[in-house]
Amino acid sequence: QVQLVESGGGLVQAGGSLRLSCAASGRTGSNYAMGWFRQAPGKEREFVAAISWGIRTYYADSVKGRFTISRDNAKNTVHLQMNSLNPDDTAVYYCAAGRWGITLNEYDYWGQGTQVTVSS
């Protein structure tokens, strides 16, 4: 089992930045890929970004060039730097661990989520 805890969410004005963090504990010795997903009210959970154990990254088109995913394998943490935020980025952001991919069913472990609200 892997436990994931997100932090860093909050309220920010459009154009601002936030940095989300995800701390992993438990069976962190496995070479999991890590991903960030988000879910806005009334919408399905969607892929945001992923990073492999080997630091390969992939982004949704909607965040490419604005968001940066990174990880520190020694500290079992993953970060999502979010710049140039806009109201469409408002959602609960979830950290996930699993196989490399962009779909929900490729990830086995999920955090509880952290709320990001972007005001116009």
Side-chain angles (χ1 to χ4, degrees):
Q1 292 287 331
V2 176
Q3 293 77 45
L4 303 172
V5 178
E6 303 96 335
S7 61
L11 174 64
V12 64
Q13 288 188 330
S17 298
L18 280 175
R19 186 176 189 242
L20 304 183
S21 296
C22 174
S25 60
R27 291 184 57 187
T28 56
S30 299
N31 297 344
Y32 292 111
M34 300 295 296
W36 286 97
F37 290 76
R38 66 187 181 185
Q39 187 166 17
K43 295 187 177 181
E44 294 185 351
R45 194 171 299 189
E46 65 176 7
F47 169 78
V48 174
I51 186 165
S52 70
W53 183 263
I55 320 297
R56 178 169 53 136
T57 59
Y58 190 78
Y59 298 92
D61 288 342
S62 59
V63 306
K64 199 173 296 182
R66 300 188 298 123
F67 291 11
T68 302
I69 189 171
S70 61
R71 69 188 295 170
D72 185 334
N73 291 333
K75 296 182 178 179
N76 296 320
T77 56
V78 179
H79 304 285
L80 186 68
Q81 177 67 42
M82 306 186 295
N83 299 328
S84 301
L85 286 161
N86 61 66
D88 289 339
D89 296 316
T90 295
V92 177
Y93 283 70
Y94 297 90
C95 175
R99 301 182 297 280
W100 174 257
I102 65 172
T103 61
L104 276 68
N105 60 10
E106 292 173 291
Y107 292 84
D108 302 309
Y109 304 101
W110 293 84
Q112 293 299 305
T114 185
Q115 176 71 47
V116 171
T117 303
V118 184
S119 62
S120 58

